[in-house]
Amino acid sequence: MNKSRRKFLTNTSLSAVALASGCHKPGQTTPPPGYPPVTGATPALGPEITSGTIFEAEKLVQLQLSDNQRVQIAERWRTNDAPLYERRTGPRKVAIEPNISPASHWDPRQVAANLPPSPAITPAAATTGTPGIHNAVQSHTQTHPAQNHFIRTNTDPGPLPTTDREIAYAPVHQLSRWIESRALTSERLTNIYLDRLTRYDPQLRCVITLTRDLALAQARQADTEIAAGRYRGPLHGIPWGAKDLLDTANIPTTYGAEPFRNRIPTTDAVVVQRLHAAGSVLVAKLSMGALAMNDIWYGGQTMNPWLIEEGSSGSSAGPGSATAAGLVAFAIGSETEGSIVSPSMRCGVTGLRPTFGRVPRTGAMTLSWSMDKLGPMARSVEDTMLVLNAISGPDAGDTGSVPSTLNYDATAPIAGLKVGYFPQWMKEATEVDRAALDTVRKLGMVPTELSIPDWPYGSLGILLAAEAAAAFEDLTLSGGLDQLKVQTPDAWPNTFRSARFLSAVDYVQADRLRRKVAIEMARVFTQVDMLLVPSLRDEMLTITNFTGHPSLTLRAGFITVTGPRSDWAPDPSKSPLKFNPPRQVPHGVTLIARLFEEGTLAGAGLALEHAFGVANQTPHSF
C-alpha cells in the first residue's frame, strides 16, 4: 500500500517508530500481550529544546511556523524525534561497515523505462532491444507472468446457505464455487452486501462512498457472462471494497482526509483495473485513517465489529471492519508499517501483506515510495491468495514494482517446514500465540529458536518520517494540514512539520542501516522457512516492513480484554473505559516468509487455519 501506505504503526507518531523498533527501555510502560504499543512511552532523550530552538532552526531549513506549532514540536521532540538518532547516540549504538551502501539504489534504466519510445525506435526494435527500451513499451496493465504455479483447493463448497447472513459471511473460495455453478447470482450477492453496508455503516463508520450503481451494473454483467459460459475465474462476480486511497475513475478517492474529500480521479488505479478485469464487483470505497494513520477519518472513527467500543485499528480501518462484519467478500488494504497487520489482528480477519514490489501501486496514494504495499484482507487464507493472484505483476507506472512468480499449491505438504520463533517474545505473548507454536509442532512443522541482534531498529523511522513528509510537503507548506480532524502531537500535522528538522546525514546512515538489517534477515532465512511472531511485536513488524518481507496474519483464537484498545495516545482528561465483565475478542498470529514466498505462507496458513478452527466464528451483532 502505501506508497508505502500504512498506519504510522500502532503508535502513530515518530516516537511510534522508535517504540516499534526496539526493545522496551527501562521506565517504559509495557502494554499487556495483544495490545498495541503505548504511544508516548519512550523516555525523553537528547538535550532540552524550546520553541526558540525551533524558531532558530527554521532559518536553516527556510521554513516559517506559527508559535503554537513551534511549541508542539518542542514539547514532543525528545520523545518523538530524538529517539530516531539512537543509532549514533545510544544506548544501542551500532557501527555500519564501510562496504554497506544505502538501501536506496539509483538505476538509470528505470528512468529510460518511463520515457516514451524514441520515434527512431520501431515497435520491433523496442521489443528486442535493451531492457530499458523494452520496459518503456510495457503495458500499464501487465499481468503476472505465465510461469506462475497456482493450485487452489478443490473441495465441494456444500449447499448454498438458507440465510443472507450466512451467505454474506461465506469466504470467497466458497462464494466463487456457488457463482461458477450458478447456484448463486452475482446480483443477489451484491444486493446482500449493499444492504448490509447500508444497514451497519452507521454503527461502524467504515464506508466513505457506496458505489451502488457501478456495483449492480458489474454484477449484472458478470451474471450475463457466466450464463453465456464466459467465466473469468474465482473472483468473477465477487463483491469487494477498496481502501479509499485507490483511485477509482469518476468516484471520489479521499484518502480519508478533509483536504481531499472532494477529490475525484479520472482513471482507475492499476489494482482496481486488474480486479475489474477479473470480473470483481466494487461495492464500496472503505474508510482509512486520514492520510494512512490509524482509524479516524473525517467521518469519525471506524469501529471494530467484535467490540463496538473500540476502533478497528488502522490505517486499513474500513477494510478490516467491513470484512469482519460480512459487508464485503474481501477488501484491498495497504501497509507501510502495520496498516494491514494491525486491523487484521484486531478485527479477526486474514491479512496478506505481499512482498514489496509484487503488487503495483500505480494510482494509489503515496505515503512512502520505498515501503508502501497493497494487499488483500479477507476471511480465509485461500481467499487472500485468490486475490493476490489477480493483482500481482509489475506495472510501468510504479518503478518499485518488479516481475515475480507466484507459486501456490494448496495440496503441497507442510511437514518438515522450519518455523522460526523468538523465545523471549513468546514468553511475553498471549496464550493464543504460545498455543499457535504448539500447533505448528503438532502439524509436523519444526519450531526453531532464533535470535536477532539488539540493534536500534527504531532509527529506521527517519526514512519513513522523511518520505511521508515529502509526500505531503505541499499540504504542509500550504497550511492544508490544519484541516485534519486530529491535531494531537502524535498525529500527522506535527509529524510532517517536525520532520523538516531531521538530519540528512542521519537519513543516509539510516538507509545504510536498512541494508545491514536486510542482510541480517537474509541470514535468518537461511536457517528457517518462515517466522511465527506475535502480530504486533514491534521489532519484527518494523524490520520486515523496511526489508519488504511478506506476512500473513490470521485469526488463531480469542483473548480477554478489560478495556478498549487504541492506536492513539490516551486522553489524560478522560478516564479509560473498563469492561465488567471483561470481553472476548479475536487474536491473530503472524507468519513471515522469505521475499516472494507468499505461497509458503499460505500453505502453512491453510493448515494452521484448519487446526485453529476459529475462522468461521462471526461477530454476533452484525
Side-chain angles (χ1 to χ4, degrees), residues 149-153 382 408-411:
H149 178 69
F150 196 93
I151 300 176
R152 61 180 294 196
T153 55
E382 180 149 277
Y408 168 64
D409 184 349
T411 67

Side-chain angles (χ1 to χ4, degrees), residues 17-25 83 86-88 90-97 100 425 451-460 510 512-524 538-540 542-543 547:
V17 182
L19 241 175
S21 67
C23 303
H24 289 288
K25 304 176 183 68
E86 187 181 5
R87 179 202 58 79
R88 64 176 172 83
R92 293 179 300 166
K93 296 181 183 179
V94 60
I96 305 175
E97 295 80 2
I100 300 292
W425 296 1
S451 64
I452 55 174
D454 185 25
W455 291 342
Y457 301 106
S459 296
L460 297 172
R512 295 177 67 215
L513 176 63
R514 185 178 191 175
R515 184 178 293 277
K516 185 179 176 78
V517 172
I519 293 170
E520 172 62 21
M521 286 302 294
R523 181 197 66 79
V524 166
D538 298 328
E539 293 90 338
M540 197 50 64
T542 297
I543 289 168
T547 59

Side-chain angles (χ1 to χ4, degrees), residues 127-347:
T127 57
T128 58
T130 66
I133 295 297
H134 181 194
N135 290 340
V137 296
Q138 285 180 331
S139 167
H140 276 247
T141 57
Q142 179 180 349
T143 57
H144 48 75
Q147 64 267 33
N148 282 3
H149 178 69
F150 196 93
I151 300 176
R152 61 180 294 196
T153 55
N154 191 28
T155 56
D156 185 344
L160 185 70
T162 57
T163 70
D164 285 354
R165 184 181 187 277
E166 290 176 294
I167 293 173
Y169 275 108
V172 172
H173 64 264
Q174 282 186 303
L175 293 171
S176 65
R177 298 295 189 190
W178 291 325
I179 286 180
E180 182 182 13
S181 67
R182 299 172 64 184
L184 173 67
T185 66
S186 177
E187 185 173 5
R188 180 186 173 191
L189 182 60
T190 298
N191 275 313
I192 289 173
Y193 285 129
L194 289 172
D195 289 347
R196 290 178 63 82
L197 285 160
T198 301
R199 188 187 326 156
Y200 294 122
D201 181 60
Q203 295 168 263
L204 298 174
R205 295 188 289 276
C206 62
V207 178
I208 293 183
T209 303
L210 194 70
T211 57
R212 181 181 298 275
D213 291 344
L214 172 65
L216 290 173
Q218 289 181 326
R220 290 164 186 154
Q221 179 182 348
D223 288 335
T224 298
E225 291 177 348
I226 293 168
R230 298 193 298 274
Y231 183 63
R232 301 192 196 184
L235 299 186
H236 202 174
I238 302 293
W240 68 288
K243 184 176 180 178
D244 204 33
L245 49 65
L246 286 172
D247 279 356
T248 42
N250 305 314
I251 297 170
T253 300
T254 73
Y255 306 160
E258 291 84 345
F260 301 102
R261 64 186 304 172
N262 296 317
R263 178 180 177 274
I264 302 178
T266 57
T267 57
D268 290 324
V270 165
V271 162
V272 176
Q273 293 175 22
R274 291 179 179 179
L275 289 172
H276 286 342
S280 301
V281 174
L282 179 63
V283 291
K285 300 297 292 297
L286 300 173
S287 64
M288 57 182 283
L291 304 183
M293 176 183 281
N294 296 348
D295 50 23
I296 294 178
W297 58 292
Y298 60 80
Q301 185 174 30
T302 300
M303 311 309 288
N304 179 2
W306 289 92
L307 190 60
I308 200 64
E309 295 90 346
E310 76 175 8
S312 66
S313 188
S315 65
S316 300
S321 180
T323 303
L327 311 188
V328 293
F330 72 90
I332 297 294
S334 70
E335 173 154 327
T336 308
E337 193 177 6
S339 287
I340 289 175
V341 171
S342 189
S344 293
M345 192 186 86
R346 187 175 300 178
C347 296

Side-chain angles (χ1 to χ4, degrees), residues 562-565 570-579:
T562 58
R565 300 156 293 179
D571 184 344
S573 67
K574 297 180 180 179
S575 299
L577 178 64
K578 294 294 182 181
F579 299 142

Side-chain angles (χ1 to χ4, degrees), residues 8 11 13-26 28 38-49 73-94 454-463 465 489 494-495 498 501-503 506-507 510 513 542 546:
F8 209 11
N11 326 297
S13 66
L14 294 186
S15 64
V17 182
L19 241 175
S21 67
C23 303
H24 289 288
K25 304 176 183 68
Q28 263 181 243
V38 179
T39 302
T42 305
L45 300 174
E48 295 279 357
I49 69 169
I73 292 173
E75 287 180 345
R76 296 300 292 267
W77 180 267
R78 298 184 68 220
T79 54
N80 283 18
D81 302 271
L84 299 177
Y85 293 116
E86 187 181 5
R87 179 202 58 79
R88 64 176 172 83
T89 63
R92 293 179 300 166
K93 296 181 183 179
V94 60
D454 185 25
W455 291 342
Y457 301 106
S459 296
L460 297 172
I462 290 177
L463 304 172
N494 188 46
T495 295
S498 64
F501 302 100
L502 295 173
S503 159
D506 285 290
Y507 176 94
L513 176 63
T542 297
F546 276 96

